[in-house]
Amino acid sequence: VHTDAQWFERIVRNLMDNALKFTAHGGITIQALPTTAGLSLAVSDTGPGIAPALRQDIFKEYFQCQQDRGQSGLGLGLAIVHGLAGLLGLSVRVMDNQPHGARFEVEFSSAQVRPMPQPAEGDGKAQATQVDLQGYFVVYVDDDENARDAMGMVLNHWGCRSVIAPCLDDALAQLEVGAAPDAVISDYRLGAGQIGTDVIEALRMRYGPLAGALLSGEPSLENASGTDELEYPVLTKPLKAADLRDLLEVFKTLQE
């Protein structure tokens, strides 16, 4: 699709956040499907659904359904989706997700959709092979439960061994038995005043010169990476799986 990448990513993230907030059981599905008019991107959940009478109101600023009460947030997520979609010339609609839940669809016109170019035969990028991460042992520390769950699934998908923990003490407890890890990745701002460099340095004290990296949404920290101020590489939030994979592949290659 041809559109503003940053604004479109915000639309998708807000729809995903909304679906995650209300899906206690079941799951969430994200699909991109060709249509006769162009392309539809759908985010479906198995939550309580949205009453037909409220389907226009949910896109208003600060509007919250009855089931929103007690949830965190100001009721701006879907209003932002609606506003950005209008600026990008996209349409957004909500409907039932059978047998239960809600389904949001973002519609692209045919003018906004292009075929994806196929790599030319012999293209070096097409022939590039990934470093095998099977068995690579990663410690990940983050006080955000959702981030831990996502990281665990990604590392498991790549065949990595992992210890996923909310703090340094929990990580050390899980590491009491077993081999030393290969790498440690930590969120920079942890609870109780702890920071990610504390985590990396504590594990290095125990296991030797482990590969280490930090996660952060702070631009100043990213700029300090690789300087005398901060020796560790910094991955920016929201973290892209491809960036994480590239870093782990570099770590493993340098350790071999």
Side-chain angles (χ1 to χ4, degrees):
V1 295
H2 286 236
T3 189
D4 184 281
Q6 185 173 1
W7 285 4
F8 180 58
E9 181 176 345
R10 181 69 181 275
I11 288 173
V12 177
R13 286 188 177 278
N14 282 14
L15 291 177
M16 290 170 59
D17 287 345
N18 188 72
L20 287 164
K21 184 163 64 172
F22 295 111
T23 304
H25 304 285
I28 295 163
T29 303
I30 304 172
Q31 297 172 296
L33 303 170
T35 66
T36 55
L39 183 136
S40 173
L41 184 132
V43 178
S44 307
D45 63 59
T46 55
I50 300 169
L54 298 177
R55 290 180 185 174
Q56 293 303 316
D57 292 333
I58 60 172
F59 292 109
K60 296 178 180 177
E61 292 184 354
Y62 306 111
F63 179 83
Q64 291 184 313
C65 301
Q66 184 62 38
Q67 61 262 33
D68 290 3
R69 308 296 157 75
Q71 296 277 0
S72 60
L74 297 173
L76 287 172
L78 294 178
I80 291 172
V81 167
H82 187 264
L84 291 178
L87 292 171
L88 296 176
L90 309 176
S91 62
V92 183
R93 60 176 180 163
V94 60
M95 62 198 74
D96 291 330
N97 181 42
Q98 300 300 329
H100 55 84
R103 177 183 176 92
F104 288 83
E105 292 189 353
V106 182
E107 302 287 344
F108 288 86
S109 69
S110 57
Q112 295 169 300
V113 181
R114 299 283 189 279
M116 182 177 292
Q118 298 299 313
E121 186 174 350
D123 188 330
K125 291 183 179 179
Q127 295 178 351
T129 57
Q130 292 182 321
V131 174
D132 184 9
L133 295 178
Q134 188 73 33
Y136 194 67
F137 192 179
V138 179
V139 175
Y140 176 66
V141 179
D142 198 318
D143 57 354
D144 184 320
E145 183 178 1
N146 290 331
R148 294 198 304 273
D149 290 344
M151 181 66 79
M153 287 188 289
V154 169
L155 293 175
N156 181 66
H157 177 69
W158 293 335
C160 297
R161 294 177 59 197
S162 63
V163 162
I164 311 292
C167 63
L168 173 61
D169 288 344
D170 190 282
L172 291 172
Q174 293 186 56
L175 285 164
E176 284 183 355
V177 179
D182 297 303
V184 53
I185 299 173
S186 176
D187 187 34
Y188 185 69
R189 299 287 181 190
L190 298 166
Q194 193 173 74
I195 59 175
T197 50
D198 297 336
V199 173
I200 298 174
E201 288 162 11
L203 291 175
R204 283 183 166 186
M205 287 285 291
R206 175 179 286 198
Y207 295 107
L210 300 175
L214 298 167
L215 289 179
S216 176
E218 302 176 29
S220 59
L221 191 68
E222 184 182 6
N223 294 335
S225 176
T227 67
D228 292 339
E229 183 180 350
L230 185 66
E231 67 170 292
Y232 307 111
V234 177
L235 296 172
T236 57
K237 289 185 172 182
L239 176 62
K240 295 179 180 178
D243 293 340
L244 174 64
R245 174 101 198 188
D246 287 345
L247 181 72
L248 294 180
E249 289 186 2
V250 169
F251 281 169
K252 184 176 182 183
T253 301
L254 292 174
Q255 291 167 337
E256 290 177 345

